[in-house]
């Protein structure tokens, strides 16, 4: 697998809660494409993530997952551009990674971009 993590949830104050998808805490089911990505349905994840762009245009969690999904589909330029956008956002917040670690969204985006570019640089574990 090219990128080793998916965003499971985020502590975004503007997001709405979802009972159906506990792995997307504070988001409506599918807004982060988590379940689709976790089961290898990357095209479905891209559709979900792109369709939630109107409600969450500058949401770092959505952008990072979208960048990861693009990378999994071999759409590397789109992946890089999307991850760079997540890095450059003014808004950032803590995210819960699929493995349970909590990390600032900018650090997660930088890590994903570095992994995509073949660089093993920072540890995601600290903020």
């Amino acid at each position: 697998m090219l990128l080793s993590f998916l965003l499971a949830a985020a502590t975004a104050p503007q997001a709405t809660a979802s009972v159906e998808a506990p792995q997307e805490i504070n988001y409506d089911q599918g807004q982060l494409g988590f379940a689709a990505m976790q089961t290898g349905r990357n095209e479905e994840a891209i559709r979900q993530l792109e369709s939630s762009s109107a409600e969450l245009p500058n949401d770092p969690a959505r952008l990072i997952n979208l960048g990861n999904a693009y990378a999994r589909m071999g759409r590397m330029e789109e992946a890089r551009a999307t991850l760079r956008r997540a890095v450059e956002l003014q808004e950032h917040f803590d995210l819960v990674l699929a493995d349970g670690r909590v990390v600032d969204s900018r650090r997660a985006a930088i890590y994903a971009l570095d992994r995509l570019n073949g660089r093993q640089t920072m540890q995601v574990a600290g903020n």
Side-chain angles (χ1 to χ4, degrees), residues 15-68:
T16 58
S18 173
V19 174
E20 299 90 32
Q23 69 269 37
E24 292 186 359
I25 300 167
N26 294 326
Y27 289 86
D28 291 335
Q29 184 175 8
Q31 281 187 311
L32 296 182
F34 179 78
M37 288 180 68
Q38 195 173 41
T39 57
R41 296 171 302 164
N42 298 304
E43 289 180 20
E44 180 180 338
I46 290 170
R47 281 193 301 277
Q48 289 175 341
L49 290 157
E50 288 177 343
S51 71
S52 64
S53 68
E55 305 97 48
L56 305 169
N58 296 313
D59 186 284
R62 185 189 72 82
L63 290 170
I64 294 167
N65 275 2
L66 182 57
N68 288 338

